Amino acid sequence: MARSVIFIIAIFLSFCALSCIAQQQPCATYKFLNNKHFSSCSDLPVLSSSLHWNYHPLSNRVDVAFRHTGVTDRRWIAWAVNPTSEGMIGSQAIVSFQRTDGSLAVYTSPITSYGTRLEQGNLSFPVSDLSATNQNNEMIIYASLELHGNISTVNHLWQAGPMSENTPMMHSVGPSSPNVKSIGSLDFLSGRVKATRSSSATLKNVHGILNTVSWGILMPIGAVIARYLKRFESADPLWFYLHVSCQMLAYILGGLSGFGTGIVLGRRSPGMEHSFHKIIGIVLFCLATTQVFGGLVRPDKDSKYRPFFNWFHFLAGCSTLILSIFNIYKGFDLLQAANFWRLAYSGIILTLLLVTLLLEICTRWCLPITKRSIPNTTDKNTSTVIEVATMEV
């Protein structure tokens, strides 16, 4: 009986493996329906794509076929060469998609900004024999490129994204999305393909981590400590220095480093605007700067301006706290972060809210009762001393 079960499981696993192999057929065994033949190919690491080519060193011409499989909806695909850098800006793309009337569009498009809609235009090098097919749940782009200079290694990118009518729309930009990993270098002569990671994607992650830790965690912790100092009227310097340390560290990480990486990302991403997120970030930086340097001109306790300063400090702190938490969630949406990160951050915020609630309960109900019981005990002790003194007299 056990052997039969093991045999059935083995057959099932073999069937699954064969199915996966059939769905992801290696490029070396693929046969083109139009009898085209390519001497070299590479299965690209993401987006269910492969690239086939014939390289002619004497003329520096490359015949390519970019193949994208698993097409079950209307989408656009693109393959590009970037002669100047590794990123998206400056890449020379070949685009194809199915129009709403069923016809197939295929054209060239130079990428000049992150906000591109893949408009048609001439590339920086000649392209000929441009065509495309869309059948059997796969799209293929054919083209011949005449590269400038005696080079065989190029930076290349490939993409796929949704459509709106006959207009290509933005592909996914989340840090875990395969669309941000579809970049690499390609040597047409040796056939060596090397995957690389976009520096902008790494910088986005650094920007998100810095701001989440600073504005999203350290700032609320500092606010809870400040509430403790206010409610318990504590004069313990340890808690005061801890509060100041949290606020200063949040300002350095978020206000300086996080804000700085945001500026760099903005300069690297012309045409890609997240205005609401950016405006909130600028407001947060201004409020935090006012809070930090405002402490240097804080009036004395006996000054008539001290109450106004306290109200300003309180309102600015509350505004910073609310805006920072809101902007962290906005950043999660822009990065298309996994639900795990949202849930983890929500758990931290809920924990801090619970601590704040417990402090409020202790200071509003428990502490007043304790204070009232201390005078009563003192009065009783005083009465006892008086009675004893009287008896002695």
Side-chain angles (χ1 to χ4, degrees), residues 41-317:
C41 72
S42 174
D43 290 307
L44 302 177
V46 293
L47 296 178
S48 304
S49 303
S50 61
L51 185 68
H52 307 249
W53 71 88
N54 291 322
Y55 180 58
H56 309 280
L58 296 179
S59 60
N60 209 28
R61 192 181 88 250
V62 185
D63 304 322
V64 299
F66 172 67
R67 175 170 159 257
H68 178 69
T69 63
V71 179
T72 57
D73 54 1
R74 204 167 66 89
R75 68 181 68 173
W76 60 266
I77 65 170
W79 179 79
V81 171
N82 194 330
T84 58
S85 65
E86 295 181 352
M88 175 179 170
I89 304 300
S91 60
Q92 310 295 301
I94 303 173
V95 185
S96 180
F97 60 85
Q98 187 176 29
R99 299 187 181 94
T100 53
D101 61 4
S103 61
L104 203 61
V106 56
Y107 59 90
T108 58
S109 175
I111 309 302
T112 57
S113 73
Y114 285 99
T116 180
R117 286 291 181 265
L118 298 177
E119 295 86 355
Q120 186 170 351
N122 296 325
L123 303 187
S124 61
F125 48 81
V127 178
S128 59
D129 299 331
L130 193 59
S131 62
T133 61
N134 182 11
Q135 53 188 347
N136 298 330
N137 294 333
E138 66 178 19
M139 298 178 67
I140 305 177
I141 296 176
Y142 301 95
S144 294
L145 318 178
E146 296 182 20
L147 302 177
H148 294 316
N150 188 21
I151 59 172
S152 63
T153 302
V154 296
N155 300 311
H156 77 127
L157 308 89
W158 62 101
Q159 283 294 350
M163 295 289 300
S164 176
E165 297 296 330
N166 289 323
T167 303
M169 303 302 291
M170 175 66 72
H171 60 73
S172 174
V173 295
S176 59
S177 170
N179 295 85
V180 302
K181 304 173 184 177
S182 56
I183 183 174
S185 62
L186 170 63
D187 189 339
F188 288 120
L189 189 59
S190 67
R192 186 178 62 180
V193 178
K194 181 181 178 182
T196 58
R197 182 172 176 83
S198 172
S199 59
S200 294
T202 303
L203 189 60
K204 286 179 182 179
N205 292 337
V206 172
H207 174 74
I209 292 171
L210 286 174
N211 285 283
T212 301
V213 172
S214 58
W215 299 119
I217 297 178
L218 290 176
M219 187 67 70
I221 291 176
V224 172
I225 296 174
R227 196 61 178 167
Y228 168 83
L229 291 170
K230 180 68 174 177
R231 278 296 182 185
F232 286 91
E233 299 179 354
S234 175
D236 188 348
L238 176 62
W239 289 101
F240 174 76
Y241 289 131
L242 186 59
H243 165 68
V244 174
S245 299
C246 282
Q247 302 301 299
M248 288 299 298
L249 189 58
Y251 180 72
I252 292 172
L253 291 178
L256 299 180
S257 302
F259 189 73
T261 54
I263 293 176
V264 174
L265 282 172
R267 290 180 176 178
R268 286 189 180 183
S269 310
M272 181 178 290
E273 291 290 337
H274 303 298
S275 300
F276 195 43
H277 183 68
K278 181 170 66 176
I279 291 172
I280 294 177
I282 294 173
V283 172
L284 280 173
F285 178 74
C286 296
L287 286 173
T289 302
T290 304
Q291 288 283 78
V292 170
F293 292 98
L296 301 177
V297 294
R298 181 177 60 178
D300 295 332
K301 290 184 178 180
D302 299 330
S303 174
K304 63 179 181 180
Y305 300 107
R306 183 59 179 263
F308 297 101
F309 174 85
N310 290 340
W311 271 108
F312 172 78
H313 183 70
F314 174 74
L315 293 176

Side-chain angles (χ1 to χ4, degrees), residues 6 14 27 38 45 65 81 159-160 261 269 296 339 345 376:
I6 294 174
S14 300
C27 66
F38 296 91
V81 171
Q159 283 294 350
T261 54
S269 310
L296 301 177
N339 288 331
Y345 180 67
N376 294 335

Side-chain angles (χ1 to χ4, degrees), residues 374-386:
I374 292 176
N376 294 335
T377 306
T378 304
D379 292 342
K380 289 180 180 179
N381 293 336
T382 303
S383 301
T384 303
V385 171
I386 293 173

